[in-house]
C-alpha cells in the first residue's frame, strides 16, 4: 500500500550534488515525488511503499555525496498526492525561514580533470570546468537557496549541450549550478602592462592563458583572478623574480606559499607524513605547512627565508591545473594584495592596486561575489590544525555546546580577524579577514558581515566582544550595541573556550593560553596564562612573569627591544637582579643609543606597558640568541627560534615557579641568566633554542600539576598563537599525557586570534543560556 512522507534534510546539503543524489536514490527505490532546495535545507516529498520510504530516510545521510554533511532528517507523514505522479523530479527552489548553510568551494574532481586534459572532450583545456562534485560555491553565491539564478553565473545562459546535461538525472552535471563550457561560460582575458583593454579567449587574439604562461616563464609576475580573489603568481625557482615580488609587495621576509603540480612534486620539496598528505589532497586543498627538504635545491632561497617551514598546496581549480601542467615547475601563488591589505576581488580595484606589482593580468568575466583567501593548516601533535580558515572550509557551520537564546555576533580580535554569526547551537565562522587596523580591511569586514549575515539569515541581537579598548572590533561593538546587549569576553578565556567548545567540553577544565598579547581583566596585558575555566567563567591561577614592552608596539616589531625589556625591567620573583656582566654581553652588540634610550624608558615607566606574555618571551629569547633582532611580520622571531631548535638535543634550562598574590608565576629570570651564561661559554644558539622549548614544556606541566592539585581537574585545553609551534605543542601534549592529563587542541578553529570570535560565541551561549 502506498503512503507519502515529507523529509526535511538539514546540514550542508546545497551545492554538493544532493538533489541529483536524492533523485537517483528515490528512483532506485521505486518512489515518486519531488525534491527542492528550500532556504538553506532540502525538502523531499515521496510516495511509495512504507519500507521504501523508511529506506530512503535511512540511506539519505549514510550514502550522501562526499561533501554533504547531513545533520538531521525530519520525517513526517503527508497526504497522498491527489493525482498520479510519475518519476522523481527537481522542483524550483523556494525561500524558507530556517538554518542556512553555505557550501564552501570544492577542488576540481578527478572526472573533471580527465575532461580538462582529454583532447577529444568538448571541455578540453576549458579553465572553468566543474560539476556537482566540484567547483565554485561560496565565492559565487549571491543569495540562498542555491540556484544558478542567484549566483554570479546567472549572466551566462546555458548552451543546448550544457542545458541537456543540467536536466539529465543520470548526468553528474544534473543541477550543477556553475556548469559551463567554452560555448556558453566565462572566458579568460589577458591584460598586458599599459594596455587599456585585454583580449578574451576566442576573440582571435593570442591565447590569454598562453600569454600569461609566457610572462611567468620569462620571469614575470602575473595577477591571476582566482576563486576568492586575485593571486600573484611567479616562478618559485627564480631568485630574481622572488626578490622582485618581495620588493613590490612590501613583504621582506614572510614565507610565500608554493603550488606544485601533484603529490609527487610536493614530496620532492618537503618531508610529508601521511596526515599531512591527507590535508594536501583533501577537497579543501589548503596550504599545508611542511618541513622543507634540505636536499632539494629546487626552490629559490627567498621563498621561505630563515625557516625550514614551507607552505605547499596543490591546484584546486582547472586554471591552476593548466598552469602547473604547462609550466611544469613550482609556482609562488600568493594573495593578490600588498602586505596587510585585503585580497583584491574587484577587477577595477585589482588593476589599480596591483598594477605596480605585476607584469600582466590573467582575468575573466565571472564576478567574485565573496572574498576568500587560501586556507592554511599544520599538523600539530599528529592532528591537523587550522592556522587560517578560509577557502575550502569557511563558511561551513560549526557547532557549540548549549543553545543561544538569541542570535549573537562574535566580533573577534584585531589581528587575524574573523567574526562569528551564532544562532541556536551553530556558529558560522567567517573567512579570514586580516588586520582590522588597515582601513580597507575594516571595510572588507563590514562588507563580509553584511553579505554573510544576509546569506545565512542570522541577524544578531547581541554581540560578544574582546575587552581591549583599543581594538577596532571592541569599538565597533560599543558603537552598534547598547550595553545590555554586549557580552565582554576576556581574550584568553575566549582562546581556551574555543578549544573546549570545539571538543564539546562543558565541564570545568584547565586552560593554558599562550599568545602575544591580550587585555586582562585587571587592565594589564596578558599572554602566558593558566586558568581554571568553563565556558561561562574562568579564574586565573597562574601566569608568566611580566616584562615591559619598551615603546609598546615597537617592541613587537623589534624583539631586541623586548629582550632589553626582560633584562632591564623583568619581574624579579625571589631572585636577585641579573649579573650586569652577563647583560652587557648582549647589550654590547646593540647600538649604545638604543640601549640607553630603552633603559631610560623602562626605568621611568614611559611607554613601557608590562605584559605576562609567552609570545613576547619567545621573541626575546630569539634575540638573546642572535637569531632575530627584528620582525617584519608577526611571529617571525618565534618561527626562527623554532627552526633553530629543530633536531637539536633537548636539555633543560633552570626555571622557577613562585607563589605570588595567589597565583603560580613562572619567573623567567633564571632561564634568561642561563641562556646568557651559556652563550658566553660558546654553547650553540640552536642547542639553547631547543633547551628553551624543553624548559617551557617543563614549566607548563608544572603549572598544570599545581592547577590539578587545587581543582582535581585532568582535562587541559591548549590555545593561543604560541601553540602553532610544532616543536612546543608536540612535546607539551606528550608530556601532559604522560602525567595523566587529557589534552585538547584546536583543530577546525584556528588556535591563533582567528578562533577568538568562535570562542566569544561559545562563552556568550554559556552565559546567556537558551530558550
Amino acid at each position: 500500500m502506498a503512503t507519502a512522507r515529507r523529509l526535511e534534510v538539514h546540514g550542508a546539503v546545497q551545492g554538493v550534488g544532493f538533489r541529483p543524489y536524492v533523485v537517483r536514490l528515490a528512483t532506485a527505490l521505486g518512489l515518486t515525488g519531488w525534491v527542492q532546495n528550500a532556504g538553506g535545507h532540502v525538502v523531499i516529498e515521496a510516495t511509495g511503499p512504507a519500507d521504501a520510504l523508511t529506506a530512503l530516510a535511512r540511506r539519505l545521510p549514510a550514502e550522501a555525496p562526499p561533501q554533504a554533511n547531513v545533520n538531521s532528517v525530519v520525517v513526517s507523514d503527508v497526504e497522498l498526492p491527489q493525482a498520479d505522479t510519475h518519476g522523481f523530479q527537481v522542483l524550483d527552489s523556494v525561500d524558507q525561514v530556517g538554518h542556512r548553510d553555505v557550501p564552501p568551494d570544492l577542488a576540481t574532481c578527478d572526472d573533471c580533470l580527465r575532461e580538462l586534459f582529454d583532447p577529444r572532450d568538448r571541455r578540453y583545456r576549458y579553465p572553468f570546468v566543474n560539476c556537482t562534485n566540484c567547483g565554485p560555491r561560496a565565492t559565487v553565491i549571491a543569495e540562498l537557496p542555491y540556484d544558478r539564478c542567484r549566483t554570479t553565473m546567472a549572466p551566462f545562459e546555458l548552451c543546448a549541450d550544457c542545458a541537456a546535461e543540467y536536466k539529465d538525472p543520470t548526468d553528474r552535471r544534473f543541477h550543477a549550478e556553475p556548469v559551463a563550457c567554452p560555448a556558453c561560460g566565462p572566458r579568460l582575458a589577458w591584460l598586458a602592462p599599459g594596455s587599456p583593454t585585454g583580449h578574451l579567449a576566442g576573440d582571435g587574439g593570442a591565447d590569454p592563458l598562453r600569454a600569461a604562461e609566457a610572462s611567468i616563464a620569462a620571469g614575470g609576475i602575473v595577477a591571476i583572478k582566482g576563486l576568492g580573489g586575485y593571486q600573484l603568481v611567479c616562478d618559485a625557482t627564480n631568485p630574481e623574480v622572488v626578490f622582485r615580488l618581495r620588493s613590490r609587495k612590501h613583504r621582506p621576509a614572510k614565507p610565500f606559499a608554493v603550488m606544485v603540480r601533484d603529490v609527487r612534486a610536493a614530496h620532492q620539496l618537503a618531508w610529508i607524513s601521511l596526515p599531512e598528505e591527507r590535508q594536501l589532497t583533501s577537497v579543501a586543498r589548503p596550504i599545508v605547512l611542511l618541513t622543507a627538504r634540505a636536499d632539494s635545491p629546487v626552490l629559490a632561497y627567498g621563498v621561505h627565508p630563515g625557516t625550514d617551514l614551507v607552505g605547499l598546496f596543490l591546484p584546486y581549480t582547472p586554471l591552476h591545473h593548466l598552469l602547473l601542467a604547462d609550466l611544469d615547475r613550482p609556482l609562488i601563488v600568493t594573495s593578490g594584495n600588498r602586505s596587510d591589505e585585503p585580497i583584491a576581488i574587484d577587477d577595477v580595484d585589482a588593476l589599480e592596486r596591483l598594477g605596480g606589482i605585476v607584469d600582466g593580468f590573467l582575468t575573466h568575466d565571472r564576478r567574485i561575489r565573496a572574498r576568500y583567501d587560501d586556507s592554511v593548516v599544520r599538523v600539530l601533535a599528529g592532528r591537523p590544525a587550522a592556522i587560517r580558515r578560509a577557502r575550502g572550509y569557511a563558511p561551513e557551520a560549526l557547532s557549540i555546546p548549549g543553545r543561544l537564546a538569541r542570535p549573537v555576533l562574535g566580533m573577534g580580535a584585531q589581528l587575524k580577524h574573523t567574526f562569528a554569526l551564532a544562532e541556536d547551537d551553530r556558529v558560522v565562522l567567517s573567512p579570514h579577514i586580516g588586520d582590522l587596523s588597515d582601513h580597507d580591511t575594516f571595510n572588507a569586514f563590514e562588507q563580509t558581515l553584511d553579505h554573510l549575515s544576509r546569506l545565512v539569515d542570522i541577524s544578531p541581537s547581541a554581540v560578544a566582544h574582546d575587552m581591549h579598548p583599543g581594538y577596532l572590533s571592541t569599538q565597533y561593538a560599543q558603537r552598534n550595541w547598547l550595553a545590555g546587549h554586549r557580552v565582554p569576553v576576556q581574550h584568553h578565556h575566549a582562546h581556551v573556550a574555543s578549544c573546549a567548545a570545539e571538543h564539546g567540553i562543558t565541564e570545568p577544565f584547565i586552560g593554558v593560553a599562550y599568545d602575544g598579547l591580550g587585555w586582562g581583566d585587571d587592565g594589564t596585558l596578558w599572554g602566558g596564562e593558566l586558568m581554571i575555566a568553563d565556558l561561562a567563567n574562568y579564574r586565573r591561577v597562574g601566569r608568566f612573569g611580566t616584562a615591559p614592552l619598551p615603546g609598546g608596539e615597537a617592541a613587537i616589531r623589534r624583539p631586541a627591544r623586548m629582550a632589553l625589556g626582560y633584562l632591564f625591567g623583568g619581574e624579579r620573583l625571589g631572585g636577585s637582579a641579573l649579573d650586569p656582566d652577563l647583560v652587557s654581553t648582549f647589550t654590547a652588540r646593540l647600538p649604545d643609543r638604543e640601549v640607553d634610550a630603552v633603559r631610560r624608558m623602562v626605568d621611568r615607566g614611559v611607554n613601557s606597558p608590562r605584559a605576562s606574555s609567552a609570545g613576547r618571551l619567545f621573541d626575546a629569547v630569539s634575540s638573546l640568541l642572535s637569531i632575530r633582532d627584528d620582525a617584519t611580520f608577526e611571529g617571525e622571531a618565534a618561527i626562527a627560534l623554532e627552526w633553530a631548535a629543530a633536531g637539536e638535543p633537548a636539555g633543560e634550562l633552570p626555571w622557577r615557579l613562585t607563589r605570588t598574590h595567589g597565583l603560580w608565576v613562572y619567573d623567567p629570570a633564571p632561564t634568561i641568566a642561563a641562556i646568557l651564561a651559556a652563550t658566553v661559554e660558546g654553547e650553540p644558539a640552536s642547542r639553547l633554542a631547543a633547551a628553551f622549548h624543553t624548559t617551557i614544556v617543563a614549566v607548563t606541566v608544572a603549572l598544570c600539576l599545581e592547577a590539578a592539585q587545587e581543582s582535581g581537574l585532568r582535562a587541559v585545553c591548549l590555545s593561543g598563537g604560541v601553540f602553532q609551534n610544532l616543536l612546543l605543542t608536540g612535546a607539551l601534549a606528550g608530556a601532559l599525557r604522560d602525567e595523566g592529563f587529557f589534552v585538547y587542541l584546536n583543530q577546525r578553529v584556528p588556535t591563533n586570534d582567528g578562533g577568538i570570535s568562535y570562542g566569544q560565541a561559545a562563552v556568550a551561549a554559556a552565559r546567556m543560556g537558551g530558550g
Side-chain angles (χ1 to χ4, degrees):
M1 179 178 176
T3 186
R5 290 178 188 165
R6 179 183 177 91
L7 298 89
E8 295 188 8
V9 188
H10 296 271
V13 290
Q14 293 192 16
V16 291
F18 201 82
R19 289 175 298 172
Y21 154 70
V22 170
V23 171
R24 289 190 289 271
L25 177 58
T27 301
L29 290 169
L31 300 171
T32 59
W34 52 263
V35 59
Q36 69 180 170
N37 282 341
H41 60 285
V42 165
V43 175
I44 303 163
E45 285 201 6
T47 301
D51 58 346
L53 291 169
T54 300
L56 176 66
R58 184 185 72 251
R59 292 173 63 180
L60 275 174
E63 302 172 15
Q67 306 315 316
N69 183 15
V70 178
N71 294 332
S72 64
V73 180
V74 180
V75 182
S76 58
D77 291 327
V78 294
E79 293 184 3
L80 285 168
Q82 293 183 354
D84 290 338
T85 57
H86 301 281
F88 218 91
Q89 58 184 317
V90 176
L91 297 187
D92 291 340
S93 300
V94 294
D95 197 4
Q96 287 188 359
V97 176
H99 289 167
R100 295 180 168 200
D101 290 287
V102 182
D105 295 325
L106 305 175
T108 309
C109 70
D110 290 341
D111 288 329
C112 284
L113 275 183
R114 280 191 288 270
E115 294 174 342
L116 182 68
F117 290 107
D118 183 356
R120 298 164 299 178
D121 195 277
R122 70 188 186 91
R123 291 187 174 88
Y124 175 57
R125 293 187 62 83
Y126 181 57
F128 303 96
V129 58
N130 67 86
C131 69
T132 52
N133 298 319
C134 67
R137 300 293 192 268
T139 53
V140 298
I141 294 174
E143 299 290 345
L144 288 177
Y146 177 53
D147 285 304
R148 189 181 184 92
C149 62
R150 284 179 282 271
T151 72
T152 58
M153 288 298 296
F156 302 96
E157 185 176 350
L158 292 173
C159 67
D161 289 335
C162 286
E165 294 170 332
Y166 185 85
K167 297 173 183 176
D168 182 359
T170 66
D171 196 287
R172 78 174 197 281
R173 292 192 169 90
F174 180 48
H175 278 270
E177 307 306 343
V179 65
C181 76
C184 64
R187 292 190 294 171
L188 293 176
W190 169 251
L191 185 61
S195 173
T197 58
H199 50 270
L200 290 166
D203 279 354
D207 180 354
L209 177 57
R210 296 297 190 188
E213 290 171 347
S215 178
I216 294 169
I221 302 167
V222 173
I224 293 179
K225 189 175 183 181
L227 275 183
Y230 275 82
Q231 297 173 313
L232 305 179
V233 179
C234 68
D235 184 350
T237 69
N238 184 331
E240 189 277 328
V241 72
V242 174
F243 175 80
R244 187 155 26 95
L245 177 61
R246 289 202 175 279
S247 176
R248 293 180 182 180
K249 190 175 164 70
H250 306 306
R251 183 169 167 165
K254 190 175 182 180
F256 286 124
V258 175
M259 185 176 283
V260 293
R261 183 172 182 172
D262 51 30
V263 173
R264 182 180 177 183
H267 276 284
Q268 293 173 349
L269 300 180
W271 301 105
I272 305 174
S273 66
L274 185 57
E276 290 167 336
E277 185 170 316
R278 289 195 187 107
Q279 294 306 303
L280 271 176
T281 57
S282 70
V283 73
R285 290 294 196 275
I287 298 166
V288 182
L289 299 183
L290 303 163
T291 302
R293 296 179 65 111
D295 59 351
S296 176
V298 176
L299 296 181
Y301 167 76
V303 171
H304 56 102
T307 176
D308 64 347
L309 278 182
V310 59
L312 299 184
F313 60 145
L314 302 183
Y316 56 86
T317 70
L319 180 56
H320 289 132
H321 280 283
L322 291 169
L323 281 168
L324 269 296
D326 293 346
L327 290 168
D328 195 23
R329 71 193 75 183
L331 299 177
I332 287 177
V333 180
T334 188
S335 306
N337 58 5
R338 287 189 176 87
S339 291
D340 299 326
E341 292 180 354
I343 185 172
I345 62 172
D346 177 75
D347 296 336
V348 174
D349 177 55
L351 289 171
E352 180 180 338
R353 288 205 285 135
L354 305 180
I357 299 177
V358 303
D359 303 302
F361 290 82
L362 182 62
T363 185
H364 57 75
D365 53 350
R366 184 181 70 203
R367 188 165 68 96
I368 298 171
R369 181 57 189 86
R371 179 181 282 105
Y372 281 77
D373 214 331
D374 291 315
S375 293
V376 181
V377 303
R378 189 177 191 186
V379 174
L380 297 171
R383 296 180 179 180
I387 303 299
R388 184 169 73 194
R389 191 174 187 270
R391 177 200 49 77
Y393 300 106
E396 182 182 7
L398 304 168
S399 62
I400 50 173
R403 299 180 72 87
L404 283 157
R406 49 181 168 166
V408 166
L409 168 66
M411 265 304 302
Q414 181 87 349
L415 300 175
K416 296 180 172 62
H417 181 262
T418 65
F419 63 84
L421 293 163
E423 187 174 45
D424 295 333
D425 62 348
R426 64 196 286 271
V427 177
V428 178
L429 188 60
S430 78
H432 167 84
I433 292 173
D435 181 358
L436 285 189
S437 62
D438 176 79
H439 179 267
D440 290 336
T441 303
F442 192 87
N443 287 341
F445 148 67
E446 292 186 304
Q447 294 164 8
T448 306
L449 175 60
D450 176 70
H451 175 62
L452 192 56
S453 60
R454 187 177 68 252
L455 207 57
V456 300
D457 196 25
I458 296 178
S459 299
S461 59
V463 63
H465 62 86
D466 200 273
M467 296 170 62
H468 198 305
Y471 281 4
L472 295 183
S473 57
T474 304
Q475 295 169 14
Y476 181 91
Q478 292 171 339
R479 284 197 309 269
N480 291 281
W481 276 269
L482 297 173
H485 298 265
R486 297 198 301 265
V487 181
V489 181
Q490 198 279 324
H491 187 90
H492 301 95
H493 184 211
H495 266 311
V496 296
S498 76
C499 179
E502 185 178 355
H503 292 281
I505 298 171
T506 57
E507 299 301 316
F509 58 89
I510 297 170
V512 180
Y514 289 172
D515 68 355
L517 296 170
W519 194 258
D521 58 19
D522 59 359
T524 66
L525 295 172
W526 294 2
E529 311 306 317
L530 184 77
M531 299 173 171
I532 293 175
D534 57 23
L535 291 179
N537 301 292
Y538 74 95
R539 178 166 59 90
R540 191 189 195 197
V541 295
R543 63 173 175 83
F544 276 31
T546 64
L549 278 69
E553 288 193 7
I556 300 174
R557 294 190 297 271
R558 182 155 167 78
R561 277 195 171 215
M562 198 65 242
L564 292 173
Y566 276 97
L567 297 179
F568 295 156
E571 191 173 12
R572 302 291 180 253
L573 300 165
S576 57
L578 293 170
D579 184 337
D581 290 336
L582 284 179
V583 172
S584 67
T585 63
F586 173 74
T587 59
R589 69 177 183 79
L590 298 178
D592 291 342
R593 186 173 179 180
E594 179 183 30
V595 173
D596 292 342
V598 169
R599 191 190 298 272
R600 288 196 299 271
M601 291 173 68
V602 170
D603 289 346
R604 299 172 184 175
V606 176
N607 193 21
S608 299
R610 302 191 71 86
S612 57
S613 170
R616 298 289 80 83
L617 178 59
F618 272 75
D619 287 353
V621 171
S622 187
S623 179
L624 289 171
L625 293 175
S626 301
I627 293 171
R628 280 291 186 282
D629 286 338
D630 293 285
T632 62
F633 63 92
E634 186 190 17
E636 180 179 359
I639 290 170
L641 186 69
E642 179 188 0
W643 178 46
E648 289 289 339
E652 187 176 311
L653 300 167
W655 54 275
R656 178 170 54 225
L657 284 188
T658 303
R659 189 73 173 168
T660 304
H661 302 299
L663 300 177
W664 288 103
V665 182
Y666 162 49
D667 180 3
T671 308
I672 290 173
I675 288 173
L676 292 173
T679 301
V680 171
E681 293 169 3
E683 190 75 12
S686 57
R687 189 163 297 177
L688 291 172
F692 174 71
H693 281 78
T694 304
T695 304
I696 298 302
V697 169
V699 166
T700 308
V701 170
L703 286 169
C704 289
L705 287 170
E706 294 292 352
Q709 185 173 352
E710 175 183 338
S711 65
L713 300 172
R714 305 303 294 181
V716 179
C717 291
L718 308 176
S719 191
V722 171
F723 289 116
Q724 295 172 150
N725 182 315
L726 173 63
L727 186 61
L728 172 73
T729 303
L732 177 57
L736 287 169
R737 291 187 183 113
D738 288 344
E739 293 290 343
F741 289 103
F742 301 96
V743 183
Y744 299 92
L745 301 164
N746 289 104
Q747 289 180 246
R748 299 175 69 193
V749 175
T751 193
N752 57 43
D753 279 8
I756 286 288
S757 60
Y758 173 81
Q760 291 168 342
V763 171
R767 290 182 184 172
M768 294 167 59

